Amino acid sequence: MPNFRLETNIPKNKVTVDFLKQTTALMAKTLGKPESYCVAAVIPDQPMAWGGSTEPCGTATLMSIGKLGVEENKKHAALLYDHIEKNLGIPRNRWRTFWL
């Protein structure tokens, strides 16, 4: 079951149901998995600083059986970074994804 988990200091009111639905659709597309298997979770309101600044930031984990690797992760990262920056306002240089 593909799982995307983002821990961030942004407030809960910025994490909409539409954002979560768009995230599972994006995961299904990039991983080539059924959307019905994809889980997206955002853990907001975390006390967090990145490089000494408390501006919006976060860390994420993307877990999947298969479909992860050096070249594949570049494609996944590009899609996820654009999605997060556009919808949650976390600049791509203020969060990172760990691949499992």
Side-chain angles (χ1 to χ4, degrees):
M1 173 180 306
N3 187 309
F4 178 75
R5 177 183 169 103
L6 172 63
E7 297 180 29
T8 179
N9 62 351
I10 65 165
K12 183 178 180 178
N13 66 356
K14 284 193 169 187
V15 183
T16 66
V17 171
D18 285 341
F19 171 78
L20 295 172
K21 289 179 179 180
Q22 292 168 6
T23 304
T24 59
L26 185 66
M27 290 169 62
K29 177 183 175 184
T30 192
L31 294 170
K33 307 273 184 162
E35 187 174 358
S36 60
Y37 292 178
C38 295
V39 175
V42 177
I43 296 75
D45 296 314
Q46 296 300 297
M48 188 176 285
W50 184 289
S53 168
T54 58
E55 292 298 312
C57 63
T59 60
T61 305
L62 179 64
M63 296 178 274
S64 177
I65 297 174
K67 304 294 184 176
L68 297 180
V70 174
E71 292 306 312
E72 291 168 310
N73 292 355
K74 290 176 186 177
K75 180 182 97 172
H76 306 324
L79 291 172
L80 288 167
Y81 283 22
D82 287 346
H83 176 64
I84 298 296
E85 188 167 25
K86 177 183 172 188
N87 294 288
L88 296 182
I90 304 172
R92 63 180 55 235
N93 67 338
R94 303 251 330 135
W95 74 282
R96 289 292 175 261
T97 302
F98 302 95
W99 313 93
L100 303 174

